[in-house]
Amino acid sequence: MEKIEKKNDAVTFEVVFVGRSNVGKSTLLKSLTGRNVRTGKRPGVTLKPTHLYFDDFLITDMPGFGFMSGVTPEKSEDVKNTIVRYIEEHADRIYLAVQVIDGPAFVEIVERWDARDEIPIDLELHDFLEEMGIITVIAANKMDRVKEDEKDELLGEIAEIFGYEEGPWKESGALIAPVAARAGDIRPLVSHLKNEFHKMKRDDLFKHFK
């Protein structure tokens, strides 16, 4: 415990990874850093964030949120509250967030919530991160399952859902990185992260990414 506390005290710059269960956060983190990320035996069971330490730099993998088979609504709400509390408590050192979504399924998920006149948790969380002043990169994962000639249209829809202007997603101002973590295609995310690190004069963090 004392060793962990010393590591936490040394942290000055943190990036958090957030997203629904089963969107591929752990696979993405392994591809990004080369490190394995511990996961629970069943989605939604683990409430505790997982930390990856790199000197004064910390990457935190937050528990997956949203509907999960075999998980009560109360448990799902606990997960959301855990994420919010953690971000609020460490907002002074969290400079970036990576919100991982299931690219091919995202529009359908949002439409289901809209049909119930409810705001998707994904959008609530994205708005919360913006309110906290945390720059958020949207990692649209599993894009290898989308036909090449359909990717731009889908990414445009995703950008619009997150509140960006309708039109070509690359011109919308949205920080969207289309990736395929399982296939090892994460270059767009690495590019976004390095670009933001450079703006913050933290080029020294580049070395931690594959």
Side-chain angles (χ1 to χ4, degrees), residues 15-18 23-39 50-52 54 57-62 98 100 139 141 179 181-182 186 189 193 208-210:
V15 175
V16 295
F17 275 66
V18 297
V23 295
K25 282 194 294 100
S26 299
T27 304
L28 182 57
L29 274 168
K30 183 178 180 180
S31 295
L32 189 66
T33 66
R35 293 195 189 182
N36 285 315
V37 179
R38 289 185 293 106
T39 58
T50 299
H51 301 300
L52 299 177
F54 306 83
F57 174 47
L58 174 65
I59 294 178
T60 299
D61 181 24
M62 301 303 298
V98 177
V100 187
N141 195 21
V179 297
R182 195 170 292 279
I186 60 169
L189 176 58
L193 291 176
H208 299 304
F209 300 101
K210 297 180 72 176

Side-chain angles (χ1 to χ4, degrees), residues 26 28 30 53 69 90-91 117 122 159 166 173 179:
S26 299
L28 182 57
K30 183 178 180 180
Y53 292 93
S69 178
H90 300 92
D117 290 325
D122 312 74
E166 184 178 355
V179 297

